[in-house]
């Protein structure tokens, strides 16, 4: 036996050429000493194992059932190899091949199909699949990466990758063969461990159908977004599983950073009645501080009743697209002319009525809005069936008018005139995350929503916030307004801006007040831009009223007086608040994981690891981060002093209680700030 100890650099010297060119093999009955860096403990023989060839054993063919069948991989090969490691020399492992291969030629081209996949290739496959790649794309990528590995390597086929994906799903989302039990593990164990807010509907309270269910979930970041939002879209989508009756409800907002639709809560149910929606909204109101001012929905009576019962102060607005579609559908079925009119004349008549309805829908002035409705009623007096429908469903009461009339939509909610944010989200879910295929199990849907979707939206927020790559919708619009303002020549600025003292072209030491800025298009049109707290707040132009972001006139004033926008400051504060809240949630999650949800005091190595002490420390860290918010509140006029007094009293009581605990255990503190 040679005294040479081999490693990766010189192991080639211990191998001999195999019958296949480019492949080497271990000689028979030659003991190779292999250097092992990691030391093990144990007995005289620390490690010993005998391994057989991957083609050992036998398999009884079943060709009478499957005629087209390849030859078996098992061919009674007797090759064996032993591996030993001794206590007296633990850094060296002895490897020796005791029996040679039989009934096959190792390394032959026909042998490649029988080889297992290399562990390196398996790792690449798993990494690709975890990243959301499809089986087909994963195979192409892996084949390109292992192209340079040389001969004697079995390349993965599509079935290898598909089978690996099937095995991985048991680790990723399929925690039990029974779908209901797997979902129960998700809702009771997996998501709560990540601080998700879980909703479980009690449908037995109003339904005797034991098959009905409803459950929902919400991540910590979604909860924070919900708390700083006032306007929401609510809608359901079908085809989320193998069963058509199961639907996914989503609450979507316009994200303050990205300007795109962002889901903030989910509910999955197979009950299409009011009950699940109502229970879900009540749960969000109580657990997630869900207090919306406005919600845009499709023309769904079930959703209207649920919102009215759970959130009576919320203003409901119908999506204009769905309103117009309902009008056109009923107009086609209910409007008729007698036999003296041709089909072309009937089509033209309906086309004119539809145009009138569109004009009503987009009218923003209330007086003009009501006038157009009255004119339309007079025009369709002969169509009693459609007129009765229109009056009963849409204009019968002021409440009905306010649900769809544009004059009654507040400026803050102008971007939610349609449900485009949530329709776009559902389209992305099915085309991008589902890959245009139907998800068969709900536990996989939960995995997609909580892993793939959550990760993408968090990364997209960060990307757009630091302006990495393509601009988001808000940045694009702000850049256009800024460019328009910068095209105005410097010598024209004094003639387009009037200060709060009604002086043309003069700046002021105190810029607060209402500035008047000339329109970029109309010669006689002027708009007022409000400045307070040394920030440009808003403008009276239609663009700002509908978009709620700095317009061209605000950018022009910024160029003239050099002040920042309140919108920009508030947006940055919202982003910081979200980041701090998420950091606090992460700290609490780490604390909960370390103490394993124990609520009793446990002393380890003389240190008190009470979960309540850990949570108090995490809350104190969050309070420290909110100092900037408190400083910002000092600039807010007319703040509620009674509320501040309550907060001060609670903080004072907390400090007194900490002092009480300190005094009770004074011996622990006597050496902290002294030399004694």
């Amino acid at each position: 036996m040679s005294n040479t100890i081999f490693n990766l650099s010189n192991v080639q010297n211990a191998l001999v050429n195999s019958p296949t060119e480019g492949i080497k093999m271990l000689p028979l009955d030659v003991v190779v000493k292999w250097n092992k860096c990691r030391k093990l403990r144990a007995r005289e023989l620390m490690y010993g194992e005998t391994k057989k060839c991957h083609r050992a054993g036998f398999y009884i063919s079943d060709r009478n059932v499957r005629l087209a069948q390849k030859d078996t991989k098992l061919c009674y090969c007797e090759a064996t190899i032993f591996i030993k490691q001794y206590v007296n020399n633990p850094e060296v492992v002895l490897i020796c091949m005791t029996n040679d291969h039989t009934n096959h030629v190792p390394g032959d081209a026909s042998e490649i199909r029988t080889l297992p996949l290399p562990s390196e290739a398996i790792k690449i496959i798993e990494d690709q699949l975890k990243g959301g790649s499809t089986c087909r794309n994963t195979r192409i990528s892996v084949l390109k990466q292992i192209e340079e590995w040389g001969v004697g390597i079995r390349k993965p086929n599509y079935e290898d990758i598909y089978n690996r994906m099937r095995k991985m799903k048991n680790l990723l989302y399929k925690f039990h063969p029974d779908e209901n039990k797997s979902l129960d593990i998700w809702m009771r164990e997996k998501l709560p461990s990540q601080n998700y807010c879980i909703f479980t509907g009690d449908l037995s309270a109003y339904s005797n159908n034991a098959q009905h269910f409803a459950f929902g979930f919400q991540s910590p970041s979604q909860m924070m977004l919900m708390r700083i939002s006032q306007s929401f879209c609510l809608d359901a989508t079908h085809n989320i599983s193998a069963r058509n009756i199961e639907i996914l409800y989503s609450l979507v907002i316009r994200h303050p950073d990205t300007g795109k639709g962002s889901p903030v809560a989910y509910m999955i149910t197979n009950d299409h009645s009011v009950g699940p929606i109502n229970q879900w909204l009540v749960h969000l109101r109580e657990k997630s501080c869900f207090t919306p001012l406005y919600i845009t929905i499709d023309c769904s009576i079930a959703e209207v009743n649920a919102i009215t019962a759970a959130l009576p102060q919320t203003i409901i607005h119908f999506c204009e697209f769905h309103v117009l579609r309902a009008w056109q559908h009923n107009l086609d079925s209910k409007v008729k002319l007698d036999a003296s009119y041709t089909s072309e004349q009937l089509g033209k008549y309906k086309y004119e009525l539809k145009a009138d309805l569109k004009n009503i829908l987009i009218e923003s002035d209330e007086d003009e809005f009501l006038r157009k409705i009255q004119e339309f009623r007079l025009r369709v007096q002969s169509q009693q069936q459609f007129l009765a429908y229109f009056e009963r469903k849409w204009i019968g009461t002021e409440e009905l008018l306010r649900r769809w009339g544009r004059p009654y939509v507040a400026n803050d909610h102008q971007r939610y005139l349609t449900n485009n944010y949530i329709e776009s989200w559902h389209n992305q879910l099915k085309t991008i995350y589902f890959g245009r295929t139907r998800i068969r199990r709900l536990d996989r849907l939960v995995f997609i929503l909580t892993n793939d979707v959550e990760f993408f939206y968090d990364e997209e927020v960060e990307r757009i916030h630091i302006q990495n790559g393509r601009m988001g919708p808000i940045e694009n619009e702000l850049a256009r307004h800024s460019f328009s303002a910068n095209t105005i020549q410097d010598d024209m600025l004094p003639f387009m801006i009037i200060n709060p003292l009604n002086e043309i072209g003069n700046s002021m030491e105190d810029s607060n007040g209402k500035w008047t800025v000339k329109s970029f298009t109309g010669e006689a049109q002027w708009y007022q831009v409000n400045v307070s707290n040394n920030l440009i707040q808003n403008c009276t132009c239609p663009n700002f009223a509908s978009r709620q972001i700095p317009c061209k006139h605000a950018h022009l004033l910024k160029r003239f007086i050099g002040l920042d926008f309140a919108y920009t400051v508030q947006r940055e504060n919202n982003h910081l608040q979200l980041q701090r809240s998420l950091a606090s949630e992460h700290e609490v999650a780490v604390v909960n994981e370390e103490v394993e949800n124990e609520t009793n005091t446990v002393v380890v190595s003389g240190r008190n690891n009470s979960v309540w002490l850990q949570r108090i420390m995490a809350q104190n860290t969050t309070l420290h981060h909110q100092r900037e918010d408190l400083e910002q509140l000092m600039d807010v006029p007319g703040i509620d002093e009674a509320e501040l007094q309550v907060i001060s009293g609670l903080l004072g009581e907390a400090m007194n209680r900490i002092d009480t605990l300190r005094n009770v255990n004074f011996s622990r503190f006597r050496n902290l700030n002294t030399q004694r």
Side-chain angles (χ1 to χ4, degrees), residues 120-172:
E120 295 84 355
I122 293 176
K123 185 179 185 306
I124 296 175
I125 293 172
E126 292 181 346
D127 290 342
Q128 295 267 350
L129 293 174
K130 288 179 181 178
S133 177
T134 63
C135 292
R136 193 174 304 279
N137 293 339
T138 297
R139 179 171 180 253
I140 295 174
S141 176
V142 173
L143 289 177
K144 289 181 179 180
Q145 295 183 57
I146 68 176
E147 184 67 25
E148 304 298 328
W149 287 10
V151 297
I153 300 296
R154 184 170 78 83
K155 298 180 179 180
N157 53 51
Y158 181 85
E159 286 75 17
D160 290 328
I161 298 174
Y162 179 77
N163 291 334
R164 179 61 54 176
M165 182 195 70
R166 294 292 299 270
K167 291 180 180 179
M168 287 177 59
K169 72 180 182 181
N170 295 329
L171 301 175
L172 297 177

Side-chain angles (χ1 to χ4, degrees), residues 29 103 108 158 164 269 301 307 348 437 499 545 581 583 656:
D29 294 328
N103 300 327
D108 189 69
Y158 181 85
R164 179 61 54 176
T269 182
I301 301 302
I307 295 172
K348 183 179 179 181
T437 60
N499 67 19
S581 300
N656 291 335

Side-chain angles (χ1 to χ4, degrees), residues 22 106 133 150 166 237 239 281 294 328 369 386 390 495 543 611:
S133 177
R166 294 292 299 270
T237 185
N239 300 330
L281 296 178
Y294 317 97
Q328 292 177 344
F369 172 76
F386 180 78
F390 190 65
F495 303 99
N543 182 273
V611 64

Side-chain angles (χ1 to χ4, degrees), residues 103-227:
N103 300 327
H104 71 108
V105 180
D108 189 69
S110 61
E111 287 285 297
I112 293 180
R113 71 175 182 87
T114 68
L115 296 174
L117 286 177
S119 58
E120 295 84 355
I122 293 176
K123 185 179 185 306
I124 296 175
I125 293 172
E126 292 181 346
D127 290 342
Q128 295 267 350
L129 293 174
K130 288 179 181 178
S133 177
T134 63
C135 292
R136 193 174 304 279
N137 293 339
T138 297
R139 179 171 180 253
I140 295 174
S141 176
V142 173
L143 289 177
K144 289 181 179 180
Q145 295 183 57
I146 68 176
E147 184 67 25
E148 304 298 328
W149 287 10
V151 297
I153 300 296
R154 184 170 78 83
K155 298 180 179 180
N157 53 51
Y158 181 85
E159 286 75 17
D160 290 328
I161 298 174
Y162 179 77
N163 291 334
R164 179 61 54 176
M165 182 195 70
R166 294 292 299 270
K167 291 180 180 179
M168 287 177 59
K169 72 180 182 181
N170 295 329
L171 301 175
L172 297 177
Y173 66 87
K174 188 178 178 181
F175 302 117
H176 195 281
D178 188 306
E179 184 178 356
N180 294 329
K181 294 182 179 179
S182 180
L183 282 171
D184 190 63
I185 295 174
W186 271 105
M187 295 299 115
R188 295 182 182 274
E189 300 178 16
K190 299 298 180 180
L191 295 185
S193 67
Q194 302 175 42
N195 289 331
Y196 272 70
C197 181
I198 306 300
F199 160 73
T200 303
D202 182 17
L203 306 191
S204 61
Y206 62 88
S207 174
N208 295 325
N209 192 337
Q211 301 299 322
H212 282 173
F213 66 85
F215 64 89
F217 45 90
Q218 189 180 31
S219 71
S221 61
Q222 290 176 325
M223 293 174 63
M224 300 307 158
L225 277 174
M226 174 175 281
R227 292 172 184 174

Side-chain angles (χ1 to χ4, degrees), residues 10-103:
N10 61 354
V11 70
Q12 293 285 342
N13 300 330
L15 305 178
V16 297
N17 292 327
S18 71
T20 302
E21 182 179 358
I23 298 179
K24 291 183 175 292
M25 59 184 295
L26 187 67
L28 187 62
D29 294 328
V30 174
V31 179
V32 175
K33 295 182 179 179
W34 181 264
N35 184 31
K36 185 176 182 64
C37 296
R38 185 171 61 92
K39 294 185 179 181
L40 302 176
R41 8 164 238 193
R43 312 152 301 214
E44 175 182 358
L45 184 64
M46 297 180 64
Y47 178 81
E49 185 176 359
T50 300
K51 291 185 174 292
K52 294 185 177 182
C53 175
H54 70 284
R55 301 200 65 178
F58 64 94
Y59 170 76
I60 300 176
S61 177
D62 196 15
R63 287 189 182 275
N64 58 342
V65 177
R66 297 176 58 193
L67 299 180
Q69 185 173 349
K70 292 191 297 185
D71 293 336
T72 176
K73 297 179 182 179
L74 306 181
C75 64
Y76 300 93
C77 180
E78 298 179 356
T80 55
I81 187 173
F82 76 76
I83 306 170
K84 293 182 180 180
Q85 182 182 20
Y86 293 92
V87 175
N88 57 4
N89 194 10
E91 296 184 358
V92 176
V93 178
L94 303 181
I95 304 174
C96 180
M97 184 172 179
T98 57
N99 291 331
D100 201 358
H101 294 276
T102 56
N103 300 327

